[in-house]
Amino acid sequence: MKLLFLYYNLMNLYGEIGNMRVLERHLRDQGLEITIVGKTLGDELDFSQYDFVYAASGTERSQKVALRHLLQYRDSLAQAIERGVPMLFTGNSFEMLGSSITDANGTQHQGLGTLPFTTTEQGQTRYVTDAIATCELIEAPVVGFVNKCSICEGISSPLFHLSMGCGNTPDTQEEGLYYRSLLGTHLIGPLLVKNPALMEWMVNRIGERQEGFSYRPKRYEYEEKAYLATYTALRERLPENKK
Amino acid sequence: MKTSFLILLCKLLRLAGKMVGKGSSLPGRVILKLDPNILQKIKLPEQIVAVTGSNGKTSTVEMIAHVLQSNGKKVAYNKEGSNQIEGVTTFLLNDCTLSGKVKSDLILMESDERFARHTFRHFTPTHYVITNLYRDQMTRNGHPEWVYDIVGESIHDGTHLVLNADDPLVSCFGLGRKNVTWFGVDRLPFSTDRNTSLYNDGRYCPNCKAPMEYDYYHYNHIGSYHCTQCELHRNDTAYTVTDASLEDSYIVINGKYRIDLSFSGIYHFYNTLATFAICNLLGVSGEDIVSSLNRYTMKSGRIVNFTAGEKEGTLLTSKHENSISYDQSIRVAVQDKRDTTVTVIVDAISRKYYTSETSWLWDIDFELLAADSVKEIILTGRYCNDLAVRFSYCGIAPEKIHVIEDIGEAVTYMKDHAPGYQYVITCFSDKDKFLDKVERRTEE
Ligand SMILES: [Zn+2]
């Protein structure tokens, strides 16, 4: 199976390479043969070749350059999304999927237009916060961290419901987007590493693409303990749990 | 309210604060409430030097102050690390006569890169030293380009910039500017042709995002580079490390000023070089700078030698959420060819704010610890399991790695079982949790 790490050397701001390193091992643990392909600016893209697509966070300026490049391949990407290829877009990479991104100077950049939402950045404040979220994909709450300077409006199918963190707009608890097998979220960093249940969900979605796949349960002791340590620490900080 | 009264009030508050061991930001905060424009009403010295950057600014400010003071200048500086506007106000008013004149010849300030735009609304530095911009505390800083924009807002046209030519992002501050002095390190034996870090923030030009090319790297994205599209390139340097040795801990500046350092590390080379450059620009001769800096021991005590039971060791203070500072500490540990045990502690990610963010662990080159000389690894603190996950991708045999959440138990294990010389890598926020359980010997 081929996994694509898109803009691996441009959009990897928050240790997000961790997602790919750990995902690769977990898929191999399922007996799957895995090749990771890195593509970046200047490369030709053909999304029909991949069983999984990952894109991560970049600076606001890097994101605009990536977007300009990716616009050439929007149809190929849109088709892969419609076919249900599993994809994960963390941080501001998922903003590219909308119809436009307006930067802090007020310049509007055309988006891929895959989904009908818009993004607006500002240059004064960043929304930085730990996050706890739930989603319909898995039972366990998800932990993570938001680090962004943008708001996204018009997302009709959010991925997460937050009990801590900053949503697509500051006044909502709805976060990210979920469409077919595409997950987009501003929970940055190695999200799959931090959330073993979400990792398992993703491993299943990718594995299912191979005929005859059935999930073999496997324990990842340190990942599970790390998740519990973070979840416990964050839960204590929820307003209803503070003494 | 009268300025002289506010100055007196500030001095009294500072004195009272010192008696109860309180920090230095409170008096400034009170005074700024009473008169937000107080800093524009006092007479400042002719030279105002600001130092900013992701790493090394505290050490650099300490060394600059030391050189200037030992060469007869009266320096007002915020040595307590109170680098926000309130702290700056406290230290300036504290140094004022009641008629509102700052007594020192020169103001030297460490400027928190995030707050520079607020501080320099009140007064303008004559010299601005910018050491580097890296991935640092991104949970509050966002990312280096975000910090670049904020620092950029604080730079005034008349300010003389003293910039690290080897850092492409810092070099952008010099684009289209004349009043810039550049410093940098020539290609040396430890330089590499390829980027050896886990990420490369020099891959694309920070000015135009076209690919960049490097002649060599010193570490991470620090080195000699040029953009393939725009004019950004490493500038010729007026102050240059032309020779240096990591093993013998010395640098030579401009081919003739040799400075022996009390501890090694390329980091420290840059801090020393920046110190040399600004002090020379301020009129201290090269010879005098050399004699002040030779074998100078930092007061900030980032390197602590300790004894744990029968074991000897060194704690290397690094910064959580700052992969480059970790990389530097790891290099120190693996340069030691004796048998070693390396302990990494991540317990509280910051002492100033709360977060559980551990993404930065994936940016640190822990892979270097797969070196033969490293016999065992101890991972401890609340986030020891995050460390354990990360370390399971470093090519280190699992039986070498000991994951012990409780720091006290980890110390017991170290005393009883850990082989060789001990290196402990952790942050200010966590170092005393370890040092309180062992015997401190010397600090550098
Ligand atoms: Zn360029």
Side-chain angles (χ1 to χ4, degrees), chain B residues 175 204-212 226-233:
Chain B
L175 285 171
Y204 295 100
C205 171
N207 185 47
C208 76
K209 293 290 170 185
M212 290 222 290
H226 61 272
C227 176
T228 54
Q229 291 290 329
C230 76
E231 75 269 38
L232 189 74
H233 64 283

Side-chain angles (χ1 to χ4, degrees), chain B residues 161-233:
Chain B
L161 299 183
V162 183
L163 302 180
N164 182 348
D166 299 344
D167 184 325
L169 187 53
V170 168
S171 293
C172 291
F173 289 124
L175 285 171
R177 257 184 107 95
K178 292 227 158 47
N179 47 350
V180 180
T181 298
W182 300 96
F183 63 88
V185 176
D186 274 351
R187 179 166 200 145
L188 291 170
F190 53 75
S191 312
T192 53
D193 290 329
R194 296 192 340 159
N195 181 296
T196 57
S197 331
L198 286 190
Y199 63 93
N200 182 359
D201 279 344
R203 182 67 192 84
Y204 295 100
C205 171
N207 185 47
C208 76
K209 293 290 170 185
M212 290 222 290
E213 288 174 357
Y214 274 73
D215 301 317
Y216 55 83
Y217 294 87
H218 293 311
Y219 62 92
N220 294 71
H221 58 280
I222 304 301
S224 178
Y225 53 83
H226 61 272
C227 176
T228 54
Q229 291 290 329
C230 76
E231 75 269 38
L232 189 74
H233 64 283

Side-chain angles (χ1 to χ4, degrees), chain A residues 14 21 25 59-60 62 147, chain B residues 138 142-143 145 209 367 392:
Chain A
Y14 299 114
R21 294 181 74 178
R25 182 181 289 177
T59 67
E60 290 70 42
S62 293
N147 194 336
Chain B
M138 302 214 283
H143 55 72
E145 286 180 5
K209 293 290 170 185
E367 277 77 359
S392 71

Side-chain angles (χ1 to χ4, degrees), chain A residues 9 12-15 21-22 25 40 59-62 126 128 130 145 147 189-190 194 222 225 233 237, chain B residues 135 138-139 142-143 145-146 149 204 209 354-357 359 362 367 382 385-386 388-389 392-393 403:
Chain A
N9 62 4
N12 174 30
L13 192 53
Y14 299 114
R21 294 181 74 178
V22 180
R25 182 181 289 177
T40 190
T59 67
E60 290 70 42
R61 297 201 263 274
S62 293
R126 287 190 81 86
V128 286
D130 288 278
F145 195 89
N147 194 336
K194 284 175 158 178
Y222 290 130
K225 282 187 184 165
R237 303 186 69 81
Chain B
R135 298 185 178 192
M138 302 214 283
T139 48
H143 55 72
E145 286 180 5
W146 183 266
D149 289 347
Y204 295 100
K209 293 290 170 185
Y354 174 80
T355 180
S356 280
E357 229 291 278
S359 301
W362 293 90
E367 277 77 359
R382 185 170 205 169
N385 293 297
D386 293 79
V389 176
S392 71
Y393 287 81
V403 184

Side-chain angles (χ1 to χ4, degrees), chain B residues 58-246:
Chain B
T58 308
S59 307
T60 306
V61 164
E62 181 187 325
M63 284 193 286
I64 297 170
H66 168 73
V67 171
L68 296 176
Q69 285 167 338
S70 32
N71 286 282
K73 294 204 191 252
K74 195 163 179 301
V75 182
Y77 82 106
N78 54 342
K79 57 187 152 195
E80 288 151 280
S82 47
N83 44 20
Q84 299 175 14
I85 181 66
E86 291 89 356
V88 171
T89 305
T90 307
F91 99 91
L92 286 179
L93 295 185
N94 215 33
D95 190 49
C96 259
T97 62
L98 289 184
S99 62
K101 181 177 184 308
V102 174
K103 287 179 275 183
S104 301
D105 302 323
L106 183 146
I107 295 174
L108 170 63
M109 43 188 296
E110 174 184 339
S111 169
D112 185 306
E113 58 275 27
R114 291 177 311 138
F115 292 99
R117 61 179 166 188
H118 303 301
T119 312
F120 300 147
R121 258 207 315 261
H122 301 285
F123 57 85
T124 310
T126 52
H127 296 78
Y128 204 160
V129 183
I130 304 176
T131 55
N132 50 56
L133 289 175
Y134 307 141
R135 298 185 178 192
D136 171 49
Q137 291 191 314
M138 302 214 283
T139 48
R140 37 170 226 177
N141 293 337
H143 55 72
E145 286 180 5
W146 183 266
V147 173
Y148 173 88
D149 289 347
I150 294 174
V151 171
E153 284 178 39
S154 73
I155 297 178
H156 293 253
D157 288 343
T159 299
H160 188 101
L161 299 183
V162 183
L163 302 180
N164 182 348
D166 299 344
D167 184 325
L169 187 53
V170 168
S171 293
C172 291
F173 289 124
L175 285 171
R177 257 184 107 95
K178 292 227 158 47
N179 47 350
V180 180
T181 298
W182 300 96
F183 63 88
V185 176
D186 274 351
R187 179 166 200 145
L188 291 170
F190 53 75
S191 312
T192 53
D193 290 329
R194 296 192 340 159
N195 181 296
T196 57
S197 331
L198 286 190
Y199 63 93
N200 182 359
D201 279 344
R203 182 67 192 84
Y204 295 100
C205 171
N207 185 47
C208 76
K209 293 290 170 185
M212 290 222 290
E213 288 174 357
Y214 274 73
D215 301 317
Y216 55 83
Y217 294 87
H218 293 311
Y219 62 92
N220 294 71
H221 58 280
I222 304 301
S224 178
Y225 53 83
H226 61 272
C227 176
T228 54
Q229 291 290 329
C230 76
E231 75 269 38
L232 189 74
H233 64 283
R234 179 189 189 268
N235 283 272
D236 291 339
T237 47
Y239 295 93
T240 315
V241 170
T242 48
D243 186 22
S245 167
L246 285 167

Side-chain angles (χ1 to χ4, degrees), chain A residues 128-195:
Chain A
V128 286
T129 165
D130 288 278
I132 303 178
T134 51
C135 65
E136 59 185 58
L137 314 177
I138 52 172
E139 258 174 55
V142 165
V143 295
F145 195 89
V146 176
N147 194 336
K148 63 170 184 174
C149 66
S150 56
I151 60 171
C152 296
E153 290 166 295
I155 293 177
S156 53
S157 57
L159 173 62
F160 291 126
H161 181 84
L162 300 171
S163 49
M164 173 190 285
C166 177
N168 288 332
T169 59
D171 56 359
T172 173
Q173 291 172 300
E174 308 306 319
E175 203 286 324
L177 67 83
Y178 178 40
Y179 178 70
R180 302 194 61 91
S181 297
L182 168 91
L183 275 52
T185 174
H186 273 114
L187 302 192
I188 51 96
L191 180 71
L192 296 179
V193 187
K194 284 175 158 178
N195 293 284

